[in-house]
């Protein structure tokens, strides 16, 4: 993991010397987190995740001179990734989600705890599908990526109070969806 000082040094090399190796190091450091974030937003669409991740890093490279270090570089990247996801969703007129996941009846090959874990994952996927794009993003950032409200607000360009409100509404929707199963 890069320290903030190392990260700023790499960013400086990218901007001042057009150092692609420095940017490559930044990509190596942050690609797994960005990809994981987008993978959850796309509800497991690996191809779309790869496309959006690539677009995120292309935009980061071309826009690196606009990075002001007000927030962490990771926050800036997540903002770009989120905006790429929103742009894609708008172009498609509705969020493109994979078909309903069917859990195979493999109880004979799975232990009881593995079966329960699989069922819980399925339930969460179904509940996540009841959320709007923004609500799903906030749930992913807060509960799965464990980011603070302040950082989520920066990523999504929303006031902190709005983030809290959306999170509350999303939890209620998910709870209702889980009760109907």
């Amino acid at each position: 993991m890069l320290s903030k000082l190392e990260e700023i040094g790499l960013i400086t090399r990218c901007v001042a010397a057009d150092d692609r190796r420095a940017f490559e190091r930044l990509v190596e450091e942050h690609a797994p987190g960005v990809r994981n974030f987008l993978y959850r937003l796309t509800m497991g669409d690996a191809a779309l995740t790869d496309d959006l991740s690539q677009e995120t890093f292309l935009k980061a490279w071309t826009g690196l001179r606009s990075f002001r270090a007000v927030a962490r570089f990771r926050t800036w990247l997540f903002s770009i990734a989120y905006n790429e996801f929103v742009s894609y969703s708008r172009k498609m007129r509705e969020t493109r989600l994979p078909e309903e996941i069917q859990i195979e009846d493999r109880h004979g090959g799975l232990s009881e705890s593995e079966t329960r874990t699989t069922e819980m994952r399925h339930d969460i996927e179904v509940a996540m599908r009841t959320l709007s794009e923004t609500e799903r993003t906030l749930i992913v950032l807060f509960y799965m990526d464990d980011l603070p409200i302040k950082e989520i607000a920066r990523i999504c360009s929303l006031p902190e109070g709005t983030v809290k409100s959306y999170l509350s509404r999303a939890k209620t929707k998910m709870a209702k969806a889980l009760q109907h199963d």
Side-chain angles (χ1 to χ4, degrees), residues 51-99:
D51 290 346
L52 293 175
S53 294
Q54 186 174 18
E55 285 299 316
T56 297
F57 284 105
L58 284 172
K59 289 228 168 116
W61 172 253
T62 59
L64 200 54
R65 293 183 190 284
S66 70
F67 177 66
R68 298 289 169 239
V70 174
R72 295 268 329 211
F73 184 69
R74 175 182 176 201
T75 303
W76 186 69
L77 280 175
F78 273 49
S79 296
I80 295 170
Y82 173 68
N83 288 331
E84 285 301 305
F85 173 72
V86 169
S87 293
Y88 173 83
S89 296
R90 283 187 186 138
K91 286 178 192 170
M92 299 310 292
R93 294 202 176 142
E94 61 183 37
T95 305
R96 188 175 146 223
L97 299 175
E99 294 298 315

Side-chain angles (χ1 to χ4, degrees), residues 103-151:
I103 295 181
E104 296 176 18
D105 187 14
R106 301 182 305 179
H107 293 285
L110 297 176
S111 71
E112 189 175 321
S113 67
E114 289 172 325
T115 300
R116 182 66 191 135
T117 300
T118 302
E119 289 171 354
M120 285 177 19
R121 282 188 183 136
H122 176 263
D123 291 345
I124 290 170
E125 289 245 352
V126 169
M128 290 285 282
R129 286 193 178 115
T130 66
L131 303 178
S132 72
E133 172 184 297
T134 302
E135 291 166 338
R136 188 169 58 249
T137 300
L138 298 177
I139 290 290
V140 166
L141 290 171
F142 189 72
Y143 290 104
M144 296 176 184
D145 289 334
D146 201 29
L147 296 179
I149 298 288
K150 191 174 202 161
E151 191 170 349

